[in-house]
Amino acid sequence: MSPLSSFANPSESENGRAISDAEKAFIVGDLAHSSEPFVLCDSCSRDIPDHCLDSHLFILTDDRSSCSVCNVASTKPEAFTEPFCRFLQENPTVFHAVGYFKDKMTSLGYKELPPRDDWAGKLEAGGKYFVTRNGTSVIAFTVGKAYKPGNGVAMVAGHIDALTARLKPVSKKPTKHGYIQLGVAPYAGALNETWWDRDLSIGGRVIVRDESGKTSSKLVKLDWPIARIPTLAPHFGVGMMGQNNKETEAVPIIGLDNSDILSSDAKPVKPLGPPGSFVFSQPPRLVELISKQLGIKDHSQIVNWELELFDLQPATVGGMDKEFIFAGRIDDKLCSWAAFQGLLASETNDDDGVIKLVALFDDEEIGSLLRQGAKGNFLPFTIERAVEALCGENKTFGPGIVGQTYARSFLVSADVTHAVNPNFLGRYLEGHAPRLNVGITIAADSNGHMTTDAVSTAIVTRICELSDCTPQVFQIRNDSRSGGTVGPMLSSAMGVKAIDAGMAQLSMHSIRATCGALDPGLGVKFFKGFLDRWEKVDAEWQ
């Protein structure tokens, strides 16, 4: 059997052109952006359109086991290492991550559902759709060809926000002894000691009003480090490990201005807008940089922005056999990216009777309380609106259908968990110490911080068995504090069966963390397996 058989049935692109299994795998694996020549077997080279291969270097082979496309199609973990590292590097903010997901879905024929529109008549069995909220959360789903209203939803939910430092509403600060500084505030636990002496850049979204009065949102990121939070040398006798004031001692420097001592007639740098305007309250040189990046000549067109600092050092593989990934923002781009890839790679069979869904939320790191967070109504409303549209005129939509849908559904709450650290083995519960490059970790908690129970564990263990995945287990010690996930809030809101299961990592909440080089691909394999096999496993239960 060809590895491409796991990508059963071609999908449709946005313009209605059929996408072959090989082209689908080519897009899922991000091979068009590969930094090295990729390998194609003769069959895949014939099935991928010329426009996909134009200007790309590739090597033809008769050996399908070395074909890059076939390796993606068969979800070989090593096929996803480089694409994940590239994703981390190219999408440093939550805004960029959602933009990436939207572009990739569109290329595979997913249709966007504007939340302001009426969805009636726009959804059908066999369709592929996505919807966003605030530009920072996204829900994507496919409807089985044999779907009937009241059937269940196999869903994965995670978060794509990460610890960061966001620019304050007034980010301009007085120059101190020649240093231009930037006013930032920590998002979640950022600006901790791991943020000192790092190469930091700036990115996010900018709200722009053009000459015609139309307002839009534009993404921006600077590709060089412009900010740094300098430590104080130990000679001064001040400790730098968690003893510092984040308001006064963790202020980034972004430039120099020594004009006060080098020029007798130095004048303060003038703001780029009138008093009361947004740009008036921002560092003028930063406004100029952002304007240049966006091609804006009139600075007053910038009416606001949401910018943040991010670690610019590229994600990279490491270790003697390159068995690690060292990167920023692993929590939780790891599970969210893998779940998203798993949905894109999932099978499309004629007898599929469920909705396969992935929901990626913002604001998890700060409690999920905003409308784009998991405690908002984004997920249940999306499911209910989709089911209502799929009822059409032949089925009456109401609480009965909604209740039936949720009773037949299952949620995997996917968030990273703690890999065992060899230097602190005493901090781990014996038998509950996940390893890197092994597989998905089922996370449990006796106090309800996780959704895992005996039923959901049995279901996911069975899915792992059918998908050739190796499950691990984690629970924190009684004398340590457990973190939380989006699982409890979502499962309680919808009443669905649920489990917490994610990939393990080292150095959670550090600006640079570590996971296994195979872990992104092992995640893709598990999430694809769950989405493809949940319906079968559910049918095994009485």
Side-chain angles (χ1 to χ4, degrees), residues 305-320:
W305 62 31
E306 289 176 86
L307 300 181
E308 62 189 51
L309 301 180
F310 63 88
D311 176 48
L312 189 64
Q313 184 176 347
T316 184
V317 292
M320 292 187 293

Side-chain angles (χ1 to χ4, degrees), residues 9 85 91 97 109 128 158 167 179 262 273 377 399 402 486 493 517 524:
N9 297 332
C85 289
N91 302 281
K128 300 179 295 184
L167 272 63
Y179 290 104
L262 297 179
N377 61 7
V402 172
V486 300
V524 175

Side-chain angles (χ1 to χ4, degrees), residues 137-375:
S137 295
V138 58
I139 295 175
F141 60 95
T142 63
V143 184
K145 293 183 177 181
Y147 172 83
K148 294 181 180 179
N151 286 5
V153 183
M155 63 186 102
V156 182
H159 72 93
I160 42 178
D161 60 318
L163 271 63
T164 187
R166 293 181 171 173
L167 272 63
K168 294 178 178 178
V170 178
S171 65
K172 181 174 63 175
K173 298 183 73 68
T175 299
K176 292 183 179 180
H177 288 269
Y179 290 104
I180 302 172
Q181 293 183 286
L182 186 66
V184 299
Y187 174 87
L191 295 184
N192 59 42
E193 53 268 23
T194 68
W195 282 68
W196 298 83
D197 294 332
R198 300 296 308 180
D199 295 341
L200 304 175
S201 193
I202 289 178
R205 70 176 171 187
V206 181
I207 309 302
V208 178
R209 182 176 296 122
D210 63 22
E211 297 86 349
S212 68
K214 296 291 185 181
T215 305
S216 62
S217 174
K218 298 182 181 295
L219 301 187
V220 68
K221 60 180 177 179
L222 304 183
D223 59 4
W224 73 97
I226 74 163
R228 197 171 185 87
I229 303 172
T231 55
L232 187 67
H235 309 74
F236 289 90
V238 178
M240 300 304 297
M241 297 300 289
Q243 305 173 43
N244 308 99
N245 188 304
K246 292 184 179 181
E247 178 63 33
T248 61
E249 297 174 324
V251 184
I253 55 174
I254 59 173
L256 292 171
D257 181 3
N258 292 316
S259 59
D260 59 323
I261 62 173
L262 297 179
S263 176
S264 59
D265 59 347
K267 297 179 180 179
V269 178
K270 291 184 178 180
L272 297 178
S277 68
F278 176 74
V279 294
F280 182 86
S281 62
Q282 310 304 318
R285 286 164 62 185
L286 180 60
V287 173
E288 291 175 339
L289 279 177
I290 298 299
S291 298
K292 183 178 180 180
Q293 288 286 311
L294 296 176
I296 296 173
K297 296 182 179 179
D298 181 358
H299 305 304
S300 65
Q301 290 183 358
I302 297 178
V303 297
N304 215 307
W305 62 31
E306 289 176 86
L307 300 181
E308 62 189 51
L309 301 180
F310 63 88
D311 176 48
L312 189 64
Q313 184 176 347
T316 184
V317 292
M320 292 187 293
D321 294 318
K322 297 183 178 180
E323 58 264 72
F324 300 116
I325 291 175
F326 306 138
R329 303 174 292 281
I330 286 178
D331 178 9
D332 189 18
K333 299 295 194 293
L334 176 56
C335 291
S336 59
W337 183 85
F340 179 81
Q341 296 289 93
L343 175 65
L344 298 186
S346 62
E347 299 175 14
T348 313
N349 298 314
D350 290 339
D351 59 350
D352 286 343
V354 299
I355 293 174
K356 301 175 183 179
L357 179 149
V358 170
L360 306 179
F361 293 98
D362 190 9
D363 297 333
E364 188 273 345
E365 296 288 2
I366 56 171
S368 301
L369 292 172
L370 304 180
R371 71 184 186 96
Q372 60 268 24
K375 280 188 179 178

